[in-house]
């Protein structure tokens, strides 16, 4: 099965900073990559699908890029409400493996 | 409005059986795959498996094959289920159901999520 590796596992940044999270697939998955945000104690929420398509209602400061094996999630200007753990997920075929998560905190 | 409503929290003893549910509404339940995701305390998300209510086709992650049973009923306002025949303490987790976004397709992401069911297994 394809493995999904996220880095870093956690980060701390200041409000207004640009934040980048990476996700690497052990085999090529084209653009079948989604990103989810999970705030503490809450249900995961879809942010981005098809590697770069923003889900309706998601702020434009979130963006995704990549194809094949290497992907990134970028928050252009970190806001306090962005404190959460972010997960990538590949979905080209079952199992739809998640990455290990990246915890984002405010410095 | 699409909604997935899960059954309530459970407290069980090791060795007991359990079946939790996820009821879909606001869409044609039989035409979208439903999946289950585990989140152990303080840990990440784990994809367990998916089921298609229309024909009961089910796919499991190798990590969960043989450990749980995923099923669904075919009624239009039906439910998906996750069950254990003999619980272990290590099954303690929050379990989420979620809908795959593309009608009839396994190769799609989760667009709607249930609220989660906390399962606690302790002697």
């Amino acid at each position: 099965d394809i493995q999904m590796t996220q880095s870093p596992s956690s980060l701390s940044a200041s409000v207004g900073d640009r934040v980048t999270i990476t996700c690497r697939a052990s085999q090529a998955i084209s653009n079948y990559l989604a990103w989810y945000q999970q705030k503490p104690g809450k249900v995961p929420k879809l942010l981005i699908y098809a590697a770069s398509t923003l889900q309706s209602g998601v702020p434009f400061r979130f963006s995704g890029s990549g194809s094949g094996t290497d992907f990134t999630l970028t928050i252009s200007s970190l806001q306090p409400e962005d404190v959460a753990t972010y997960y990538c997920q590949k979905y080209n075929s079952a199992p739809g493996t998640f990455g290990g998560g990246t915890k984002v905190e405010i410095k | 409005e699409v909604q997935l409503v899960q059954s309530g929290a459970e407290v069980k003893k090791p060795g007991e059986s359990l079946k939790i549910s996820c009821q879909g509404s606001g869409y044609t339940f039989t035409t979208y795959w439903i999946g289950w995701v585990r989140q152990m305390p303080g840990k990440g998300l784990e994809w367990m498996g998916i089921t298609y209510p229309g024909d009961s086709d089910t796919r499991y992650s190798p990590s969960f094959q043989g450990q749980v049973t995923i099923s669904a009923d075919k009624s239009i306002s039906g439910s998906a289920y996750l069950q254990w025949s003999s619980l272990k303490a290590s099954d303690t987790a929050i379990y989420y159901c979620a809908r795959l976004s593309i009608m009839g397709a396994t190769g799609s992401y989760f667009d709607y999520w249930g609220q989660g069911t906390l399962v606690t297994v302790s002697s």
Side-chain angles (χ1 to χ4, degrees):
Chain A
D1 289 338
I2 297 173
Q3 305 305 312
M4 305 300 293
T5 303
Q6 281 183 241
S7 62
S9 56
S10 65
L11 66 88
S12 182
S14 299
V15 173
D17 281 355
R18 183 181 184 89
V19 169
T20 298
I21 297 168
T22 65
C23 177
R24 175 163 290 174
S26 60
Q27 297 174 38
I29 57 170
S30 184
N31 68 336
Y32 290 92
L33 194 283
W35 290 96
Y36 301 86
Q37 175 194 62
Q38 187 178 33
K39 295 184 178 181
K42 301 297 185 183
V43 177
K45 171 189 170 184
L46 176 67
L47 290 180
I48 287 169
Y49 60 93
S52 61
T53 302
L54 211 61
Q55 174 70 342
S56 176
V58 173
F60 293 119
R61 62 181 179 275
F62 290 93
S63 64
S65 65
S67 184
T69 60
D70 294 314
F71 303 88
T72 61
L73 172 69
T74 299
I75 308 173
S76 60
S77 177
L78 186 67
Q79 300 301 304
E81 59 266 33
D82 300 335
V83 168
T85 300
Y86 295 84
Y87 297 92
C88 63
Q89 185 212 6
K90 71 96 171 168
Y91 59 87
N92 59 318
S93 62
T97 308
F98 290 93
T102 297
K103 186 174 184 179
V104 173
E105 297 176 320
I106 301 290
K107 193 182 292 182
Chain B
E1 179 195 7
V2 173
Q3 282 193 310
L4 297 174
V5 178
Q6 298 185 227
S7 50
E10 301 274 2
V11 180
K12 291 289 191 179
K13 291 181 168 35
E16 291 185 332
S17 62
L18 175 65
K19 189 174 188 177
I20 62 174
S21 66
C22 168
Q23 183 169 36
S25 63
Y27 71 101
T28 304
F29 184 74
T30 53
T31 59
Y32 287 80
W33 290 77
I34 288 279
W36 289 94
V37 175
R38 183 175 79 174
Q39 188 165 42
M40 299 176 75
K43 301 298 184 183
L45 305 175
E46 299 175 271
W47 192 98
M48 300 176 71
I50 53 175
T51 190
Y52 190 67
D55 63 7
S56 299
D57 190 3
T58 304
R59 317 282 172 86
Y60 292 92
S61 163
S63 300
F64 292 94
Q65 179 86 47
Q67 308 304 308
V68 297
T69 301
I70 293 171
S71 62
D73 68 51
K74 285 188 177 182
S75 60
I76 290 180
S77 57
S79 294
Y81 304 97
L82 176 64
Q83 67 181 87
W84 296 260
S85 58
S86 180
L87 286 159
K88 303 184 283 285
S90 57
D91 293 318
T92 295
I94 297 173
Y95 293 88
Y96 294 102
C97 66
R99 190 189 80 162
L100 270 70
S101 59
I102 300 173
M103 190 166 59
T106 57
S108 54
Y109 47 90
F110 293 124
D111 58 354
Y112 289 92
W113 293 65
Q115 83 276 21
T117 296
L118 174 62
V119 174
T120 304
V121 184
S122 174
S123 54

